[in-house]
Amino acid sequence: MIWVKPSVVVPASVPLEKINCNSFRNGGGIFVKKGIINTLLFIVMLILAVVLGTAIASATGGISYLSWLAIAAKFGIPTVTIDLAILQITFGMTVNVNVAQAILLLAAIFIYTRIKK
């Protein structure tokens, strides 16, 4: 059997000329769009930069000449609670960014702009 689309199975006895492959020519079928892959790559690179930056900052915090990588800035919106007798809603957001994360985020953005072409 020849697999043409995820939902269509064509017997091997059918000649290839009779199979409608327009969905493959137009980028459909089992092929993934390049834009989706680029977006996922960018998101993965940013997440890796944040995680590695946190690890580097915590590892170098005790070393005197590398402790500057662990310097962090904390900013955001303080929590606000709305109490509506039957429902209590809390809003707030805090971002904590250190130097190592900032450097790696900039490097990830720079590398992404170079490899996406």
Side-chain angles (χ1 to χ4, degrees):
M1 291 196 189
I2 299 171
W3 191 46
V4 177
K5 288 185 182 177
S7 61
V8 178
V9 177
V10 180
S13 61
V14 176
L16 291 176
E17 296 82 28
K18 301 253 181 191
I19 299 172
N20 184 2
C21 295
N22 286 335
S23 62
F24 291 110
R25 287 188 199 114
N26 295 332
I30 59 172
F31 297 108
V32 179
K33 302 270 186 206
K34 189 175 180 180
I36 294 172
I37 292 175
N38 283 341
T39 304
L40 289 175
L41 174 68
F42 186 60
I43 291 170
V44 167
M45 288 178 72
L46 291 180
I47 291 172
L48 281 174
V50 169
V51 171
L52 288 175
T54 302
I56 290 171
S58 64
T60 60
I63 302 172
S64 62
Y65 57 91
L66 292 177
S67 62
W68 60 274
L69 290 171
I71 296 172
K74 190 176 200 180
F75 58 92
I77 303 167
T79 57
V80 176
T81 302
I82 301 171
D83 192 2
L84 305 170
I86 60 168
L87 180 68
Q88 185 176 10
I89 302 172
T90 304
F91 297 100
M93 182 178 78
T94 304
V95 178
N96 189 11
V97 179
N98 59 42
V99 175
Q101 286 175 336
I103 292 170
L104 289 177
L105 282 170
L106 290 173
I109 293 169
F110 178 75
I111 290 169
Y112 175 75
T113 58
R114 295 292 179 191
I115 64 173
K116 79 171 185 171
K117 294 179 182 178

